[in-house]
Amino acid sequence: MVHRVLFWSGFGIAVRFWQLGLEMRPFFNRGSLWAYPVFAGVGGSFGYWLQGVDERQTAMLEERKQAILDKRARKAARDAERAAA
């Protein structure tokens, strides 16, 4: 989880650099240094949210996979019964 939050925090900082580069403003202006933690925080928040989405989707997929495997096992048992009869 930490790697995803750190990646998106870094991405937020990179977006800030990109923004300042497009505006042709200095990267480390004393009056605008407050924006770097804001961009990193927003990016980190997105990464944390994305981790939760990933965990919920993985749990849902595992649940569906187990349901399908149970259904296949029941069908195989029925087919084995029919073949034996």
Side-chain angles (χ1 to χ4, degrees), residues 3-4 10-11 13-14 18 21-22 24-29 34-35 40-41 46-47 49 52 54 60 62 73 77-78:
H3 68 282
R4 188 166 288 179
F11 184 78
I13 292 172
W18 185 38
L22 287 175
M24 296 181 140
R25 291 175 42 203
F27 291 130
F28 300 110
N29 187 9
W34 61 269
F46 178 74
W49 172 80
D54 184 40
M60 185 185 309
E62 285 298 321
R78 271 195 322 262

Side-chain angles (χ1 to χ4, degrees), residues 29-55:
N29 187 9
R30 184 177 287 274
S32 65
L33 286 178
W34 61 269
Y36 288 103
V38 170
F39 276 74
V42 169
S45 298
F46 178 74
Y48 183 75
W49 172 80
L50 195 62
Q51 180 67 31
V53 169
D54 184 40
E55 288 172 358

Side-chain angles (χ1 to χ4, degrees), residues 56-69:
R56 287 189 301 273
Q57 287 180 348
T58 302
M60 185 185 309
L61 286 173
E62 285 298 321
E63 184 179 304
R64 289 183 181 181
K65 179 182 175 182
Q66 191 59 41
I68 289 171
L69 290 175

